Amino acid sequence: MASSSSLLGLAASLALLSFFTPSSCFDPTAISYNDSKVALSWQSGSATWYGAPTGAGPDDNGGGCGFKNVNLPPFSAMTSCGNHNLFKGGKGCGSCFYIKCLGHPACSGKPSHITITDLCDGGICLDAPFHFDMSGIAFGSMSYPGRSNELRHAGRLAVEFARVPCQYPGRTISFHVEQGSNPNYFAVLIEYEDGEGDLNQVEIMESRSRNWVTMRESWGAIYRLDTSRPLNAPFSIRLTDDKNRKLVARNVIPANWRPNTVYRSVVQYS
């Protein structure tokens, strides 16, 4: 994986890029790459693609991480399944990578920026230590202009990949309260964390309490808490990322919270 100094250096470069970009919508295909300024730790792997040739992968535009509408910004279909070494039982959800293909005439050699949003847990995904089963759009983006269909017809490709910081310019961390949540069962999907992009721990604090309670990972990027008594909102949520950095979204879930609703915080790992 990339060293902390490499990630910090790349984060600074991407932050400058977002500052000078007039649009507030993040286009992951437009990230600039300069090999002479950013030292990345490249590893070898393999890649395939699934779903529609110009789609985001899953038919429902979701996936095993629980993210919704990955065909839309900020993911913009630049997404991928990861095998177990990338998905990490759900803890790899939201992690970001540069990936470039090798050994095919249509491969441009220019890295594409992708995000892990799904799991590939069988078949060809088990044949290599690191395998990406990418969306049709993401896979095609590794080609020279006008040759994406040619690349998609190539089948399995050898790739090089490097972990990079995630960047969501103009966005703060969001919390989607999942359908089925109630006063005794609270489940939340956490999205758009800059930096590491994935989480090691999620804790919740009730109203009029000083105690942080660890939430269980339900599946993917969804965390849950089951209680024998009704929970007292509003809730604060504390996140710990893969580098052990903590971030508190104070009272981010209001007293009148509702299931299937997104609550946007005012905090970010920038």
Side-chain angles (χ1 to χ4, degrees):
M1 307 302 284
S3 67
S4 59
S5 60
S6 297
L7 291 178
L8 288 173
L10 184 55
S13 299
L14 295 178
L16 284 173
L17 176 65
S18 65
F19 181 81
F20 288 107
T21 301
S23 172
S24 60
C25 293
F26 174 50
D27 179 4
T29 66
I31 292 179
S32 64
Y33 171 79
N34 189 324
D35 208 13
S36 64
K37 293 183 179 180
V38 178
L40 298 179
S41 179
W42 292 98
Q43 295 179 263
S44 298
S46 59
T48 48
W49 65 277
Y50 74 116
T54 57
D59 292 337
D60 63 354
N61 294 314
C65 288
F67 300 132
K68 281 86 172 165
N69 301 316
V70 297
N71 57 313
L72 302 176
F75 297 116
S76 301
M78 294 296 291
T79 56
S80 179
C81 297
N83 68 357
H84 289 287
N85 286 335
L86 296 165
F87 190 78
K88 301 178 183 177
K91 291 190 181 299
C93 287
S95 53
C96 298
F97 295 89
Y98 272 149
I99 185 168
K100 56 185 177 181
C101 63
L102 308 168
H104 189 277
C107 291
S108 70
K110 179 181 178 181
S112 294
H113 182 281
I114 60 171
T115 304
I116 297 296
T117 59
D118 204 352
L119 167 67
C120 184
D121 62 350
I124 198 170
C125 294
L126 304 181
D127 291 344
F130 299 101
H131 185 85
F132 297 84
D133 197 21
M134 302 166 68
S135 72
I137 284 182
F139 194 88
S141 73
M142 296 187 294
S143 72
Y144 286 110
R147 302 182 69 177
S148 58
N149 282 332
E150 180 183 349
L151 193 64
R152 281 189 287 264
H153 279 92
R156 182 178 177 179
L157 293 173
V159 297
E160 289 184 345
F161 68 96
R163 179 75 179 270
V164 295
C166 298
Q167 292 287 317
Y168 297 102
R171 292 180 184 263
T172 54
I173 297 174
S174 294
F175 300 85
H176 182 280
V177 178
E178 294 295 289
Q179 190 68 38
S181 294
N182 59 62
N184 296 92
Y185 165 78
F186 183 76
V188 64
L189 167 71
I190 304 166
E191 299 181 288
Y192 313 140
E193 306 99 83
D194 279 356
E196 294 304 304
D198 49 5
L199 298 170
N200 272 344
Q201 187 178 58
V202 176
E203 300 163 283
I204 189 169
M205 181 188 289
E206 297 178 70
S207 176
R208 298 185 297 276
S209 173
R210 295 184 178 180
N211 298 320
W212 290 104
V213 178
T214 300
M215 302 182 72
R216 287 195 301 124
E217 187 177 356
S218 183
W219 60 277
I222 298 172
Y223 289 78
R224 63 184 286 178
L225 181 66
D226 302 271
T227 70
S228 58
R229 59 166 182 80
L231 294 166
N232 297 312
F235 305 136
S236 298
I237 296 180
R238 183 165 69 181
L239 311 175
T240 304
D241 72 3
D242 200 37
K243 294 297 183 184
N244 204 36
R245 298 183 302 164
K246 296 185 183 296
L247 190 66
V248 175
R250 189 75 59 185
N251 295 328
V252 66
I253 309 298
N256 61 343
W257 65 268
R258 298 166 65 178
N260 201 29
T261 303
V262 175
Y263 298 98
R264 293 178 173 83
S265 73
V266 296
V267 298
Q268 184 54 275
Y269 270 116
S270 298

